[in-house]
Amino acid sequence: MSTPSRNRLPVSTTNVVLVAVLLAGAVVTALDGSWRGTVLLAALGIMVLATAIYARRPNSRDITRVNAIEYRDERDKRIAQVGFSVVGVVALILSAIEFVAVTALTGPLDWPPAMQLLPAAQLFLLSLVWAVANSVSARRN
Amino acid sequence: MRSAVRELRQANGLSQEALARALGVSRQTINAIETGRYDPSLRLAVHLARHFGRTVEEMFDVDTE
C-alpha cells in the first residue's frame, strides 16, 4: 500500500558501499603487508555489516536503524535528515574556528602557511557543498 | 497534529504492528502519529485514510498542533 523498499539487498546501498570500501582497503593493506591496517579495516567492515543486519530486524528500534543507516520509512529518513543537518552545521562552525585559529597562530614569517591549507580547503568545500545543497533543495521543494 | 488513527485502528481490532505492516512503515511511526509527535507526509496520510476508508480530513485535525 505504501512505498515498499526496492532494495533487495540484505543491507542498504550505503552500507554495501561502506563495507565494500572498508574490505577493499583491507585487501590493499594486506597486499602491502600492513597487517595491522588489514585487521583494523576488516574488523570495521565486519562490524558495519553486522550492525546493519542487526538494525534490519523487523522489531528493531528506530534509533538503531537510523544510526546504522538502515531507514525503513519516511520518519526514519526525516530523523536522519535532522541528524545530518546538525552534523553539517557543527562541521561548518568547527572548520571556521579551526581556520581562524590556524591563521591567528601562524607567525608572519610562515606566510603562506602550509598548515593553513587543509582547514581552508575543508571550509571552502563544506561551504560549496552547503551552497549546492541549498540550490538543489530550493529547486526541488 | 491530532489524528483519529488510534481510534480507527482499535475499532478495527488492529495492533500498531499490523497497521504498520499493512502500510509499509515501522511500528514506531504509527505510534508517533497516534501520539501527535510525527506529522506524516501527504502520501502516508492518504494511504492511512484509504486504509480505513476515510478522507484525510476525517483522519487528521490540521487545526491542532
Side-chain angles (χ1 to χ4, degrees), chain B residues 4-47:
Chain B
V5 174
R6 175 166 284 163
E7 291 77 15
L8 288 166
R9 176 179 63 76
Q10 289 174 340
N12 283 271
L14 286 171
S15 65
Q16 286 184 339
E17 185 66 51
L19 179 58
R21 216 176 304 122
L23 293 166
V25 297
S26 67
R27 185 195 59 76
Q28 294 96 337
T29 296
I30 297 299
N31 184 261
I33 293 169
E34 288 185 354
T35 51
R37 286 183 292 116
Y38 177 67
D39 293 344
S41 66
L42 183 57
R43 178 191 290 261
L44 181 54
V46 169
H47 284 162

mmCIF file of all heavy atoms in Angstrom, chain B residues 4-47:
data_model
loop_
_atom_site.group_PDB
_atom_site.id
_atom_site.type_symbol
_atom_site.label_atom_id
_atom_site.label_comp_id
_atom_site.label_asym_id
_atom_site.label_seq_id
_atom_site.Cartn_x
_atom_site.Cartn_y
_atom_site.Cartn_z
ATOM 1 N N ALA B 4 -7.140 10.582 14.109
ATOM 2 C CA ALA B 4 -8.087 9.557 14.550
ATOM 3 C C ALA B 4 -7.523 8.166 14.325
ATOM 4 O O ALA B 4 -8.253 7.180 14.350
ATOM 5 C CB ALA B 4 -9.391 9.722 13.785
ATOM 6 N N VAL B 5 -6.215 8.084 14.109
ATOM 7 C CA VAL B 5 -5.603 6.802 13.762
ATOM 8 C C VAL B 5 -5.795 5.771 14.870
ATOM 9 O O VAL B 5 -6.209 4.638 14.604
ATOM 10 C CB VAL B 5 -4.097 6.983 13.432
ATOM 11 C CG1 VAL B 5 -3.424 5.633 13.225
ATOM 12 C CG2 VAL B 5 -3.932 7.840 12.186
ATOM 13 N N ARG B 6 -5.523 6.195 16.116
ATOM 14 C CA ARG B 6 -5.623 5.225 17.212
ATOM 15 C C ARG B 6 -7.051 4.685 17.353
ATOM 16 O O ARG B 6 -7.246 3.463 17.452
ATOM 17 C CB ARG B 6 -5.172 5.865 18.527
ATOM 18 C CG ARG B 6 -5.377 4.935 19.734
ATOM 19 C CD ARG B 6 -4.634 5.400 20.953
ATOM 20 N NE ARG B 6 -3.212 5.097 20.811
ATOM 21 C CZ ARG B 6 -2.261 5.658 21.555
ATOM 22 N NH1 ARG B 6 -2.578 6.546 22.464
ATOM 23 N NH2 ARG B 6 -0.990 5.335 21.386
ATOM 24 N N GLU B 7 -8.028 5.596 17.320
ATOM 25 C CA GLU B 7 -9.427 5.180 17.474
ATOM 26 C C GLU B 7 -9.829 4.212 16.366
ATOM 27 O O GLU B 7 -10.425 3.152 16.625
ATOM 28 C CB GLU B 7 -10.360 6.398 17.454
ATOM 29 C CG GLU B 7 -10.256 7.316 18.670
ATOM 30 C CD GLU B 7 -9.037 8.224 18.645
ATOM 31 O OE1 GLU B 7 -8.410 8.365 17.573
ATOM 32 O OE2 GLU B 7 -8.693 8.797 19.700
ATOM 33 N N LEU B 8 -9.480 4.557 15.132
ATOM 34 C CA LEU B 8 -9.860 3.706 13.993
ATOM 35 C C LEU B 8 -9.116 2.376 14.010
ATOM 36 O O LEU B 8 -9.680 1.327 13.700
ATOM 37 C CB LEU B 8 -9.595 4.446 12.677
ATOM 38 C CG LEU B 8 -10.564 5.590 12.392
ATOM 39 C CD1 LEU B 8 -10.051 6.478 11.266
ATOM 40 C CD2 LEU B 8 -11.944 5.040 12.041
ATOM 41 N N ARG B 9 -7.867 2.428 14.405
ATOM 42 C CA ARG B 9 -7.082 1.182 14.472
ATOM 43 C C ARG B 9 -7.685 0.232 15.506
ATOM 44 O O ARG B 9 -7.887 -0.960 15.228
ATOM 45 C CB ARG B 9 -5.622 1.512 14.833
ATOM 46 C CG ARG B 9 -4.744 0.291 15.020
ATOM 47 C CD ARG B 9 -3.319 0.664 15.349
ATOM 48 N NE ARG B 9 -3.171 1.392 16.600
ATOM 49 C CZ ARG B 9 -3.233 0.848 17.813
ATOM 50 N NH1 ARG B 9 -3.458 -0.453 17.933
ATOM 51 N NH2 ARG B 9 -3.074 1.577 18.900
ATOM 52 N N GLN B 10 -7.985 0.791 16.680
ATOM 53 C CA GLN B 10 -8.536 -0.054 17.745
ATOM 54 C C GLN B 10 -9.937 -0.551 17.372
ATOM 55 O O GLN B 10 -10.288 -1.695 17.666
ATOM 56 C CB GLN B 10 -8.555 0.720 19.062
ATOM 57 C CG GLN B 10 -7.141 0.916 19.619
ATOM 58 C CD GLN B 10 -7.098 1.798 20.859
ATOM 59 O OE1 GLN B 10 -8.023 2.561 21.123
ATOM 60 N NE2 GLN B 10 -6.009 1.702 21.611
ATOM 61 N N ALA B 11 -10.718 0.323 16.720
ATOM 62 C CA ALA B 11 -12.065 -0.080 16.302
ATOM 63 C C ALA B 11 -12.016 -1.222 15.291
ATOM 64 O O ALA B 11 -12.935 -2.047 15.215
ATOM 65 C CB ALA B 11 -12.792 1.116 15.699
ATOM 66 N N ASN B 12 -10.919 -1.263 14.521
ATOM 67 C CA ASN B 12 -10.750 -2.335 13.529
ATOM 68 C C ASN B 12 -9.997 -3.538 14.084
ATOM 69 O O ASN B 12 -9.672 -4.463 13.336
ATOM 70 C CB ASN B 12 -10.012 -1.788 12.297
ATOM 71 C CG ASN B 12 -10.915 -0.961 11.402
ATOM 72 O OD1 ASN B 12 -11.555 -1.485 10.500
ATOM 73 N ND2 ASN B 12 -11.025 0.323 11.684
ATOM 74 N N GLY B 13 -9.684 -3.492 15.373
ATOM 75 C CA GLY B 13 -9.003 -4.619 16.013
ATOM 76 C C GLY B 13 -7.594 -4.849 15.518
ATOM 77 O O GLY B 13 -7.117 -5.986 15.474
ATOM 78 N N LEU B 14 -6.926 -3.764 15.138
ATOM 79 C CA LEU B 14 -5.558 -3.895 14.619
ATOM 80 C C LEU B 14 -4.537 -3.488 15.675
ATOM 81 O O LEU B 14 -4.760 -2.546 16.435
ATOM 82 C CB LEU B 14 -5.365 -2.985 13.399
ATOM 83 C CG LEU B 14 -6.008 -3.388 12.084
ATOM 84 C CD1 LEU B 14 -5.879 -2.232 11.096
ATOM 85 C CD2 LEU B 14 -5.310 -4.616 11.521
ATOM 86 N N SER B 15 -3.423 -4.172 15.685
ATOM 87 C CA SER B 15 -2.304 -3.736 16.534
ATOM 88 C C SER B 15 -1.504 -2.695 15.747
ATOM 89 O O SER B 15 -1.650 -2.591 14.524
ATOM 90 C CB SER B 15 -1.406 -4.913 16.878
ATOM 91 O OG SER B 15 -0.796 -5.400 15.697
ATOM 92 N N GLN B 16 -0.665 -1.941 16.449
ATOM 93 C CA GLN B 16 0.191 -0.968 15.755
ATOM 94 C C GLN B 16 1.081 -1.695 14.751
ATOM 95 O O GLN B 16 1.313 -1.196 13.647
ATOM 96 C CB GLN B 16 1.061 -0.213 16.769
ATOM 97 C CG GLN B 16 0.294 0.807 17.592
ATOM 98 C CD GLN B 16 1.197 1.604 18.512
ATOM 99 O OE1 GLN B 16 2.311 1.178 18.835
ATOM 100 N NE2 GLN B 16 0.718 2.752 18.964
ATOM 101 N N GLU B 17 1.559 -2.854 15.143
ATOM 102 C CA GLU B 17 2.448 -3.638 14.283
ATOM 103 C C GLU B 17 1.729 -4.058 12.997
ATOM 104 O O GLU B 17 2.284 -3.944 11.897
ATOM 105 C CB GLU B 17 2.930 -4.877 15.056
ATOM 106 C CG GLU B 17 3.964 -5.719 14.336
ATOM 107 C CD GLU B 17 5.288 -4.994 14.148
ATOM 108 O OE1 GLU B 17 5.811 -4.463 15.139
ATOM 109 O OE2 GLU B 17 5.783 -4.963 13.007
ATOM 110 N N ALA B 18 0.488 -4.503 13.145
ATOM 111 C CA ALA B 18 -0.273 -4.965 11.979
ATOM 112 C C ALA B 18 -0.562 -3.803 11.025
ATOM 113 O O ALA B 18 -0.436 -3.947 9.802
ATOM 114 C CB ALA B 18 -1.575 -5.602 12.436
ATOM 115 N N LEU B 19 -0.929 -2.651 11.590
ATOM 116 C CA LEU B 19 -1.198 -1.484 10.737
ATOM 117 C C LEU B 19 0.088 -1.024 10.045
ATOM 118 O O LEU B 19 0.078 -0.691 8.850
ATOM 119 C CB LEU B 19 -1.792 -0.338 11.577
ATOM 120 C CG LEU B 19 -2.111 0.947 10.821
ATOM 121 C CD1 LEU B 19 -3.097 0.703 9.682
ATOM 122 C CD2 LEU B 19 -2.658 2.019 11.772
ATOM 123 N N ALA B 20 1.171 -1.034 10.804
ATOM 124 C CA ALA B 20 2.465 -0.630 10.242
ATOM 125 C C ALA B 20 2.835 -1.531 9.068
ATOM 126 O O ALA B 20 3.275 -1.051 8.018
ATOM 127 C CB ALA B 20 3.541 -0.686 11.323
ATOM 128 N N ARG B 21 2.636 -2.838 9.261
ATOM 129 C CA ARG B 21 2.979 -3.791 8.201
ATOM 130 C C ARG B 21 2.107 -3.554 6.962
ATOM 131 O O ARG B 21 2.589 -3.597 5.832
ATOM 132 C CB ARG B 21 2.812 -5.221 8.706
ATOM 133 C CG ARG B 21 3.849 -6.176 8.149
ATOM 134 C CD ARG B 21 3.750 -7.579 8.720
ATOM 135 N NE ARG B 21 3.837 -7.628 10.166
ATOM 136 C CZ ARG B 21 2.904 -8.151 10.959
ATOM 137 N NH1 ARG B 21 1.800 -8.662 10.448
ATOM 138 N NH2 ARG B 21 3.053 -8.175 12.261
ATOM 139 N N ALA B 22 0.836 -3.275 7.189
ATOM 140 C CA ALA B 22 -0.083 -3.048 6.065
ATOM 141 C C ALA B 22 0.304 -1.795 5.270
ATOM 142 O O ALA B 22 0.086 -1.726 4.061
ATOM 143 C CB ALA B 22 -1.504 -2.913 6.590
ATOM 144 N N LEU B 23 0.879 -0.809 5.962
ATOM 145 C CA LEU B 23 1.219 0.449 5.303
ATOM 146 C C LEU B 23 2.686 0.524 4.878
ATOM 147 O O LEU B 23 3.117 1.498 4.261
ATOM 148 C CB LEU B 23 0.907 1.624 6.237
ATOM 149 C CG LEU B 23 -0.579 1.838 6.526
ATOM 150 C CD1 LEU B 23 -0.773 2.776 7.699
ATOM 151 C CD2 LEU B 23 -1.288 2.381 5.300
ATOM 152 N N GLY B 24 3.463 -0.483 5.260
ATOM 153 C CA GLY B 24 4.883 -0.486 4.879
ATOM 154 C C GLY B 24 5.717 0.502 5.652
ATOM 155 O O GLY B 24 6.691 1.051 5.123
ATOM 156 N N VAL B 25 5.330 0.768 6.893
ATOM 157 C CA VAL B 25 6.124 1.665 7.749
ATOM 158 C C VAL B 25 6.463 0.926 9.043
ATOM 159 O O VAL B 25 6.052 -0.218 9.247
ATOM 160 C CB VAL B 25 5.369 2.975 8.068
ATOM 161 C CG1 VAL B 25 5.093 3.768 6.804
ATOM 162 C CG2 VAL B 25 4.073 2.699 8.817
ATOM 163 N N SER B 26 7.211 1.581 9.914
ATOM 164 C CA SER B 26 7.584 0.935 11.168
ATOM 165 C C SER B 26 6.493 1.133 12.223
ATOM 166 O O SER B 26 5.686 2.072 12.126
ATOM 167 C CB SER B 26 8.910 1.508 11.683
ATOM 168 O OG SER B 26 8.740 2.859 12.056
ATOM 169 N N ARG B 27 6.499 0.272 13.243
ATOM 170 C CA ARG B 27 5.527 0.398 14.339
ATOM 171 C C ARG B 27 5.730 1.735 15.063
ATOM 172 O O ARG B 27 4.779 2.385 15.492
ATOM 173 C CB ARG B 27 5.718 -0.774 15.323
ATOM 174 C CG ARG B 27 4.704 -0.822 16.436
ATOM 175 C CD ARG B 27 5.150 -1.737 17.547
ATOM 176 N NE ARG B 27 6.426 -1.329 18.125
ATOM 177 C CZ ARG B 27 6.575 -0.308 18.964
ATOM 178 N NH1 ARG B 27 5.544 0.420 19.314
ATOM 179 N NH2 ARG B 27 7.773 0.009 19.434
ATOM 180 N N GLN B 28 6.993 2.165 15.164
ATOM 181 C CA GLN B 28 7.286 3.438 15.845
ATOM 182 C C GLN B 28 6.644 4.617 15.121
ATOM 183 O O GLN B 28 6.249 5.595 15.753
ATOM 184 C CB GLN B 28 8.800 3.656 15.937
ATOM 185 C CG GLN B 28 9.523 2.649 16.825
ATOM 186 C CD GLN B 28 10.106 1.505 16.021
ATOM 187 O OE1 GLN B 28 9.654 1.211 14.912
ATOM 188 N NE2 GLN B 28 11.101 0.836 16.577
ATOM 189 N N THR B 29 6.555 4.523 13.790
ATOM 190 C CA THR B 29 5.938 5.607 13.012
ATOM 191 C C THR B 29 4.441 5.700 13.325
ATOM 192 O O THR B 29 3.905 6.794 13.521
ATOM 193 C CB THR B 29 6.176 5.388 11.499
ATOM 194 O OG1 THR B 29 7.574 5.470 11.256
ATOM 195 C CG2 THR B 29 5.459 6.421 10.658
ATOM 196 N N ILE B 30 3.774 4.551 13.399
ATOM 197 C CA ILE B 30 2.346 4.545 13.751
ATOM 198 C C ILE B 30 2.163 5.125 15.149
ATOM 199 O O ILE B 30 1.284 5.964 15.382
ATOM 200 C CB ILE B 30 1.771 3.101 13.687
ATOM 201 C CG1 ILE B 30 1.865 2.552 12.254
ATOM 202 C CG2 ILE B 30 0.323 3.066 14.184
ATOM 203 C CD1 ILE B 30 1.091 3.323 11.212
ATOM 204 N N ASN B 31 3.020 4.704 16.079
ATOM 205 C CA ASN B 31 2.945 5.209 17.445
ATOM 206 C C ASN B 31 3.168 6.724 17.484
ATOM 207 O O ASN B 31 2.452 7.447 18.193
ATOM 208 C CB ASN B 31 3.989 4.496 18.316
ATOM 209 C CG ASN B 31 3.879 4.916 19.763
ATOM 210 O OD1 ASN B 31 4.628 5.760 20.239
ATOM 211 N ND2 ASN B 31 2.924 4.343 20.466
ATOM 212 N N ALA B 32 4.139 7.203 16.722
ATOM 213 C CA ALA B 32 4.444 8.641 16.710
ATOM 214 C C ALA B 32 3.284 9.452 16.115
ATOM 215 O O ALA B 32 2.992 10.557 16.565
ATOM 216 C CB ALA B 32 5.726 8.891 15.919
ATOM 217 N N ILE B 33 2.614 8.894 15.105
ATOM 218 C CA ILE B 33 1.457 9.584 14.511
ATOM 219 C C ILE B 33 0.316 9.613 15.524
ATOM 220 O O ILE B 33 -0.332 10.652 15.731
ATOM 221 C CB ILE B 33 1.010 8.887 13.201
ATOM 222 C CG1 ILE B 33 2.083 9.058 12.119
ATOM 223 C CG2 ILE B 33 -0.326 9.465 12.712
ATOM 224 C CD1 ILE B 33 1.853 8.194 10.880
ATOM 225 N N GLU B 34 0.076 8.484 16.178
ATOM 226 C CA GLU B 34 -1.028 8.402 17.142
ATOM 227 C C GLU B 34 -0.843 9.349 18.321
ATOM 228 O O GLU B 34 -1.805 9.889 18.854
ATOM 229 C CB GLU B 34 -1.154 6.964 17.658
ATOM 230 C CG GLU B 34 -1.718 6.009 16.634
ATOM 231 C CD GLU B 34 -1.957 4.617 17.194
ATOM 232 O OE1 GLU B 34 -1.580 4.358 18.346
ATOM 233 O OE2 GLU B 34 -2.521 3.780 16.462
ATOM 234 N N THR B 35 0.404 9.528 18.736
ATOM 235 C CA THR B 35 0.663 10.396 19.887
ATOM 236 C C THR B 35 0.908 11.849 19.470
ATOM 237 O O THR B 35 1.206 12.697 20.313
ATOM 238 C CB THR B 35 1.885 9.888 20.684
ATOM 239 O OG1 THR B 35 2.972 9.694 19.775
ATOM 240 C CG2 THR B 35 1.574 8.587 21.405
ATOM 241 N N GLY B 36 0.810 12.136 18.170
ATOM 242 C CA GLY B 36 0.943 13.508 17.686
ATOM 243 C C GLY B 36 2.376 14.008 17.612
ATOM 244 O O GLY B 36 2.616 15.200 17.452
ATOM 245 N N ARG B 37 3.345 13.096 17.737
ATOM 246 C CA ARG B 37 4.753 13.515 17.679
ATOM 247 C C ARG B 37 5.259 13.623 16.245
ATOM 248 O O ARG B 37 6.275 14.241 15.981
ATOM 249 C CB ARG B 37 5.644 12.518 18.445
ATOM 250 C CG ARG B 37 5.523 12.610 19.943
ATOM 251 C CD ARG B 37 6.479 11.650 20.640
ATOM 252 N NE ARG B 37 6.101 10.262 20.431
ATOM 253 C CZ ARG B 37 6.830 9.366 19.775
ATOM 254 N NH1 ARG B 37 7.986 9.706 19.256
ATOM 255 N NH2 ARG B 37 6.412 8.125 19.628
ATOM 256 N N TYR B 38 4.561 12.993 15.317
ATOM 257 C CA TYR B 38 5.026 12.993 13.929
ATOM 258 C C TYR B 38 3.873 13.272 12.985
ATOM 259 O O TYR B 38 2.821 12.618 13.071
ATOM 260 C CB TYR B 38 5.660 11.632 13.601
ATOM 261 C CG TYR B 38 6.103 11.508 12.164
ATOM 262 C CD1 TYR B 38 7.158 12.275 11.682
ATOM 263 C CD2 TYR B 38 5.461 10.645 11.281
ATOM 264 C CE1 TYR B 38 7.552 12.178 10.362
ATOM 265 C CE2 TYR B 38 5.863 10.540 9.960
ATOM 266 C CZ TYR B 38 6.899 11.312 9.510
ATOM 267 O OH TYR B 38 7.301 11.226 8.196
ATOM 268 N N ASP B 39 4.068 14.261 12.109
ATOM 269 C CA ASP B 39 3.084 14.558 11.072
ATOM 270 C C ASP B 39 3.478 13.785 9.809
ATOM 271 O O ASP B 39 4.548 14.041 9.247
ATOM 272 C CB ASP B 39 3.062 16.059 10.754
ATOM 273 C CG ASP B 39 2.529 16.865 11.926
ATOM 274 O OD1 ASP B 39 1.910 16.277 12.831
ATOM 275 O OD2 ASP B 39 2.754 18.091 11.952
ATOM 276 N N PRO B 40 2.633 12.862 9.353
ATOM 277 C CA PRO B 40 3.018 12.052 8.189
ATOM 278 C C PRO B 40 3.048 12.884 6.907
ATOM 279 O O PRO B 40 2.436 13.957 6.834
ATOM 280 C CB PRO B 40 1.916 11.002 8.119
ATOM 281 C CG PRO B 40 0.744 11.626 8.760
ATOM 282 C CD PRO B 40 1.291 12.536 9.825
ATOM 283 N N SER B 41 3.747 12.368 5.906
ATOM 284 C CA SER B 41 3.747 13.024 4.597
ATOM 285 C C SER B 41 2.338 12.912 4.012
ATOM 286 O O SER B 41 1.516 12.104 4.477
ATOM 287 C CB SER B 41 4.745 12.313 3.669
ATOM 288 O OG SER B 41 4.284 10.996 3.402
ATOM 289 N N LEU B 42 2.085 13.688 2.984
ATOM 290 C CA LEU B 42 0.769 13.647 2.332
ATOM 291 C C LEU B 42 0.487 12.238 1.807
ATOM 292 O O LEU B 42 -0.624 11.713 1.931
ATOM 293 C CB LEU B 42 0.728 14.667 1.193
ATOM 294 C CG LEU B 42 -0.597 14.809 0.456
ATOM 295 C CD1 LEU B 42 -1.726 15.173 1.417
ATOM 296 C CD2 LEU B 42 -0.492 15.851 -0.646
ATOM 297 N N ARG B 43 1.536 11.610 1.245
ATOM 298 C CA ARG B 43 1.386 10.255 0.689
ATOM 299 C C ARG B 43 0.942 9.269 1.771
ATOM 300 O O ARG B 43 -0.015 8.507 1.576
ATOM 301 C CB ARG B 43 2.729 9.809 0.098
ATOM 302 C CG ARG B 43 2.714 8.398 -0.480
ATOM 303 C CD ARG B 43 4.130 7.955 -0.775
ATOM 304 N NE ARG B 43 4.679 8.689 -1.897
ATOM 305 C CZ ARG B 43 4.737 8.221 -3.132
ATOM 306 N NH1 ARG B 43 4.275 7.015 -3.389
ATOM 307 N NH2 ARG B 43 5.245 8.917 -4.091
ATOM 308 N N LEU B 44 1.630 9.311 2.929
ATOM 309 C CA LEU B 44 1.288 8.380 4.006
ATOM 310 C C LEU B 44 -0.088 8.705 4.599
ATOM 311 O O LEU B 44 -0.851 7.797 4.945
ATOM 312 C CB LEU B 44 2.374 8.406 5.097
ATOM 313 C CG LEU B 44 2.173 7.473 6.288
ATOM 314 C CD1 LEU B 44 1.949 6.024 5.847
ATOM 315 C CD2 LEU B 44 3.384 7.546 7.228
ATOM 316 N N ALA B 45 -0.400 10.010 4.683
ATOM 317 C CA ALA B 45 -1.706 10.406 5.210
ATOM 318 C C ALA B 45 -2.826 9.866 4.315
ATOM 319 O O ALA B 45 -3.838 9.345 4.814
ATOM 320 C CB ALA B 45 -1.780 11.929 5.291
ATOM 321 N N VAL B 46 -2.628 9.950 3.011
ATOM 322 C CA VAL B 46 -3.632 9.437 2.064
ATOM 323 C C VAL B 46 -3.746 7.920 2.180
ATOM 324 O O VAL B 46 -4.851 7.365 2.202
ATOM 325 C CB VAL B 46 -3.275 9.865 0.613
ATOM 326 C CG1 VAL B 46 -4.141 9.124 -0.392
ATOM 327 C CG2 VAL B 46 -3.446 11.367 0.449
ATOM 328 N N HIS B 47 -2.611 7.252 2.305
ATOM 329 C CA HIS B 47 -2.627 5.788 2.453
ATOM 330 C C HIS B 47 -3.336 5.369 3.734
ATOM 331 O O HIS B 47 -4.090 4.397 3.741
ATOM 332 C CB HIS B 47 -1.201 5.234 2.430
ATOM 333 C CG HIS B 47 -0.607 5.198 1.057
ATOM 334 N ND1 HIS B 47 0.736 5.085 0.829
ATOM 335 C CD2 HIS B 47 -1.181 5.291 -0.172
ATOM 336 C CE1 HIS B 47 0.969 5.080 -0.472
ATOM 337 N NE2 HIS B 47 -0.180 5.210 -1.098
#
